[in-house]
Amino acid sequence: MLKNGNRPSILGTNVLFLISALLLLTLGAKVQHRELYSGLIITEFIIILLPTLLYIKLGGHSIAEVLRLNSISFLQFIYIIFIVIFAYPIAVFLNYISIMIISRFGQVIPSSVPIPSNYQEFIKSFLVIALSPGICEEAMFRGLIMNSYENMGKKKALVYSAILFGMFHFNSQNLLGPIFLGIIFGIVVFKTDSILSAIIGHTLNNTIALALGYGLNRFGGYNQNFDGVNLAMPEMDLMLYGIIIMGIFALVFGILLIKLINSLPSRKTISIGFSNGYNNLFVNTIRRARMNIWERIPIWIFITVFIVWNYIVFFS
């Protein structure tokens, strides 16, 4: 386990994050517009994963330690599957709230991610849209960023990395859901001390979305694009009823989700630290209070770009 002084610097991590975000909006958007699947591969592996690994290595840190490349038990694997299954409807509900708000003041944009129409397309989509982000994005957010932010304590590392993860999608319609999922993925990484937990969770979440879209498209004549935890836009007079029903389901699933997280077996080497459930994630010893001004500048720039971009896309 890394001590605070041996972690990647917050400033360097924030600069890398800003550069990756800008490349995502420029180079990533260009290659995805040219051809979606190859563009997504370039985005995930060249823009997100490669710089993350290079930064860790060139900084003299161990990739295995920073990313927590540890194994998980079969029991932990089973728990993670059920955690994601119960977290998914909550993420859908949160994104539904975002869509409602945007629909009142701006325009809702259909997803550009295609729905698989046959088995071969589903496998291709699984590899590109589910597995690749599961590996690459988790290496950056629950790996490098969360590890670096542990200099400020586990609670801030968990929440800040999740917020940046949600905003990194540059899509206000798909913001609250990923932030929530980022928090869940961060908790399971802390409890299992393994990035594999987040990779499995992220991949499974995206696979559920693909499977639902594929099933609806194949058996229900569904012809709307389906992206992660995004929903198709229903008629306005049904939205209120929809949010009430979804809210009830989200509440029930949330209660079950908390029970699952509390009972998720912790890694033996850190069992004492997590013996009282995930609340003890928020306890840390030596830590900094906050980022200094230089460390905040890349984040301020990123937030500004995020606001301007989303205003142009959804409200202009």
Side-chain angles (χ1 to χ4, degrees):
M1 184 178 296
L2 292 174
K3 296 181 179 179
N4 285 353
N6 296 326
R7 300 183 187 280
S9 74
I10 293 176
L11 176 59
T13 298
N14 287 351
V15 170
L16 177 70
F17 170 75
L18 174 61
I19 293 173
S20 296
L22 295 178
L23 287 175
L24 174 66
L25 276 183
T26 53
L27 176 61
K30 182 176 182 179
V31 294
Q32 289 179 39
H33 178 73
R34 184 184 61 186
E35 205 284 314
L36 180 62
Y37 288 103
S38 63
L40 286 172
I41 292 294
I42 293 172
T43 299
E44 295 294 342
F45 288 94
I46 304 301
I47 295 178
I48 297 175
L49 181 61
L50 182 60
T52 297
L53 298 180
L54 286 176
Y55 174 73
I56 295 171
K57 195 64 177 178
L58 294 177
H61 303 286
S62 167
I63 291 177
E65 289 185 357
V66 171
L67 299 187
R68 292 182 170 92
L69 295 179
N70 302 312
S71 62
I72 61 173
S73 69
F74 179 74
L75 182 59
Q76 289 173 326
F77 174 76
I78 297 299
Y79 264 91
I80 291 166
I81 290 176
F82 281 100
I83 285 172
V84 173
I85 290 174
F86 283 101
Y88 186 87
I90 303 173
V92 171
F93 170 69
L94 292 172
N95 271 6
Y96 194 85
I97 293 175
S98 298
I99 291 176
M100 282 193 64
I101 295 173
I102 292 174
S103 68
R104 289 292 301 274
F105 303 100
Q107 58 179 342
V108 176
I109 307 297
S111 169
S112 60
V113 178
I115 304 171
S117 58
N118 54 58
Y119 180 74
Q120 289 76 16
E121 287 186 3
F122 182 83
I123 296 299
K124 181 180 179 180
S125 296
F126 167 77
L127 294 174
V128 177
I129 298 174
L131 182 60
S132 294
I135 295 172
C136 302
E137 294 176 16
E138 291 309 314
M140 170 175 277
F141 289 97
R142 255 60 64 184
L144 172 62
I145 293 178
M146 195 166 75
N147 194 298
S148 174
Y149 284 10
E150 281 186 70
N151 286 305
M152 299 181 291
K154 283 187 169 64
K155 179 178 181 180
K156 290 181 179 178
L158 181 70
V159 175
Y160 290 176
S161 62
I163 293 173
L164 293 182
F165 171 66
M167 297 177 69
F168 192 73
H169 293 79
F170 283 99
N171 185 349
S172 294
Q173 294 176 192
N174 190 30
L175 174 63
L176 298 181
I179 290 176
F180 167 75
L181 291 172
I183 292 175
I184 299 301
F185 297 156
I187 290 174
V188 298
V189 166
F190 275 139
K191 290 206 68 174
T192 61
D193 194 35
S194 174
I195 192 70
L196 292 180
S197 300
I199 292 174
I200 293 169
H202 194 152
T203 302
L204 177 58
N205 175 80
N206 290 10
T207 303
I208 292 173
L210 287 172
L212 288 175
Y214 174 70
L216 290 171
N217 184 42
R218 186 175 179 85
F219 304 108
Y222 183 75
N223 59 8
Q224 292 289 328
N225 284 322
F226 197 85
D227 177 17
V229 289
N230 256 345
L231 294 175
M233 181 65 179
E235 296 296 331
M236 292 298 296
D237 57 351
L238 297 178
M239 292 187 71
L240 182 59
Y241 297 103
I243 200 168
I244 292 174
I245 295 173
M246 293 177 67
I248 294 173
F249 275 99
L251 178 61
V252 174
F253 278 93
I255 294 172
L256 297 174
L257 178 63
I258 291 174
K259 293 182 179 295
L260 279 171
I261 291 175
N262 277 328
S263 57
L264 171 65
S266 300
R267 187 173 175 85
K268 291 182 179 180
T269 57
I270 56 171
S271 59
I272 296 177
F274 298 109
S275 59
N276 202 20
Y278 66 92
N279 287 328
N280 277 340
L281 292 172
F282 300 160
V283 178
N284 203 7
T285 53
I286 301 173
R287 61 179 183 268
R288 295 166 43 184
R290 58 181 64 89
M291 297 183 194
N292 62 45
I293 188 170
W294 297 108
E295 293 166 342
R296 295 178 190 177
I297 289 176
I299 302 301
W300 288 340
I301 296 174
F302 167 75
I303 292 174
T304 302
V305 173
F306 175 86
I307 293 173
V308 171
W309 174 267
N310 280 271
Y311 176 79
I312 293 173
V313 172
F314 295 106
F315 303 104
S316 62

